Amino acid sequence: MPALGQMSDYEIRLIRIFQTVVECGGFTAAETTLGISRSAISQHMNDLEGRLGFSLCQRGRGGFSLTEEGKEIYQAGLTLLTALETFKSDVNALHQTIKGELNIGITDNLVTLPAMHVTHALARLSAPEHEVTLHIHMEPSDAVIRGVMDGHLHVGVVPAVNLPTSLDTQHLYDEPSYLYCATGHPLFDRAGDALTLEALARYPAISPRYPLPVEARQAHDALSLRASASDREGAAFLILTGRFIGFLPEHVAAQWVSAGKMRALDSPRQHYRIPFALISRRDRRPNRVVEAFLQFIESP
């Protein structure tokens, strides 16, 4: 008696034909449903019986009827085909539903940036059809880079400055920065004047202790650096004292500019743009949540 080994698509097709024959009540009645001739159905049934090693049904003048083995195979076939449909449905659901967690590190003061690439991608990832838990870590750029490299963070958003070659990078946007002073500063009422570097260098300025591209570093070095800040928020604190001039991203300074507490100083060379990038480990393990987020960033 032959034993049924590994099932192929052909065996599954034979079981589907057998199921249809049983539910239609015979070969002739199944012709229309299956779209094949009675002789072809008969051949398929003979092939299935040969593979299983026993007769499944009686057919002839006495009509169509199942053998005891045929009844067992019909029930087993129902179980098999139902399991296959469930499997197919589950696989399709996986393509439509994303499950898991995303740990993302973001450097300071980016939430007010008009380009909302990250926000839009997070919105799509947290849509009701997905089951994703989001964890946002607001940290200095060097901490974000370390977190991505050691696997603590899945992705990060940092200035694209001196990034390790082991990271994949995706450009997000350029952030424009200008030189500002606040109320009480001697230059506040001269903010509309075209100021020379020599004039600006007479006033105490703020040195940043965070990564900057060469162009931005040169703009700072031309000033009289008398204080320092570890991040842009710290620079804003110092500017608001009215004692210092310093660079801020336009979107960060906007709230104080609109309130009349800060003004941008007009100097042709005293502005720059910082490129920001989304970073991830080049050798990262496959992760559907991360891959979906990267895709949403590309197609907001």
Side-chain angles (χ1 to χ4, degrees):
M1 188 73 68
L4 188 64
Q6 183 176 359
M7 294 192 68
S8 67
D9 290 344
Y10 181 63
E11 274 91 12
I12 294 174
R13 178 168 180 264
L14 293 179
I15 291 173
R16 290 187 186 278
I17 291 173
F18 172 58
Q19 182 185 35
T20 302
V21 169
V22 172
E23 291 170 355
C24 289
F27 291 13
T28 302
E31 283 184 286
T32 301
T33 302
L34 291 171
I36 57 178
S37 65
R38 186 180 185 283
S39 61
I41 295 174
S42 180
Q43 181 59 49
H44 287 315
M45 291 297 298
N46 289 336
D47 196 0
L48 179 59
E49 289 175 331
R51 289 168 183 267
L52 293 174
F54 39 71
S55 176
L56 298 175
C57 57
Q58 303 293 335
R59 55 263 200 191
R61 293 183 179 180
F64 176 84
S65 62
L66 292 176
T67 64
E68 290 302 315
E69 293 82 2
K71 294 176 182 177
E72 294 288 340
I73 292 298
Y74 175 71
Q75 293 299 325
L78 286 178
T79 301
L80 170 64
L81 297 178
T82 299
L84 287 174
E85 288 303 315
T86 300
F87 176 77
K88 183 168 66 175
S89 176
D90 289 346
V91 170
N92 290 336
L94 284 175
H95 285 286
Q96 298 169 4
T97 302
I98 304 168
K99 300 180 181 180
E101 295 185 349
L102 180 72
N103 289 293
I104 177 173
I106 303 177
T107 193
D108 66 305
N109 301 119
L110 290 183
V111 70
T112 53
L113 195 68
M116 302 288 283
H117 300 62
V118 173
T119 303
H120 292 160
L122 292 175
R124 292 181 64 182
L125 198 61
S126 57
E129 64 268 24
H130 303 314
E131 298 176 21
V132 177
T133 302
L134 302 175
H135 302 286
I136 292 183
H137 305 260
M138 302 302 297
E139 298 177 346
S141 59
D142 56 347
V144 174
I145 293 171
R146 288 196 305 270
V148 172
M149 293 184 68
D150 66 21
H152 172 66
L153 301 174
H154 294 117
V155 293
V157 180
V158 295
V161 181
N162 299 325
L163 295 177
T165 56
S166 59
L167 296 176
D168 274 336
T169 62
Q170 183 176 336
H171 180 263
L172 291 176
Y173 32 64
D174 290 332
E175 178 191 67
S177 291
Y178 298 91
L179 188 62
Y180 290 90
C181 68
T183 54
H185 193 278
L187 293 177
F188 189 77
D189 294 329
R190 297 182 58 192
D193 298 344
L195 300 170
T196 64
L197 287 179
E198 291 76 12
L200 294 172
R202 298 191 189 104
Y203 299 93
I206 303 161
S207 174
R209 301 199 310 271
Y210 44 88
L212 289 174
V214 174
E215 176 191 2
R217 186 62 62 185
Q218 291 173 344
H220 284 86
D221 290 342
L223 302 175
S224 178
L225 303 176
R226 303 289 183 83
S228 70
S230 63
D231 53 35
R232 282 92 65 86
E233 186 175 359
F237 267 109
L238 290 172
I239 294 170
L240 289 168
T241 65
R243 304 297 185 186
F244 300 91
I245 59 175
F247 286 93
L248 283 178
E250 183 179 34
H251 67 95
V252 173
Q255 58 179 310
W256 295 295
V257 171
S258 63
K261 295 181 178 181
M262 273 191 196
R263 288 183 180 175
L265 298 172
D266 184 10
S267 177
R269 294 178 54 188
Q270 295 309 101
H271 59 82
Y272 54 82
R273 303 178 76 87
I274 299 179
F276 275 79
L278 183 74
I279 60 172
S280 57
R281 278 181 55 159
R282 186 162 294 169
D283 62 348
R284 64 183 179 273
R285 294 181 178 180
N287 184 314
R288 287 195 68 226
V289 175
V290 175
E291 300 309 319
F293 180 73
L294 296 176
Q295 181 181 352
F296 293 156
I297 284 285
E298 289 182 358
S299 305

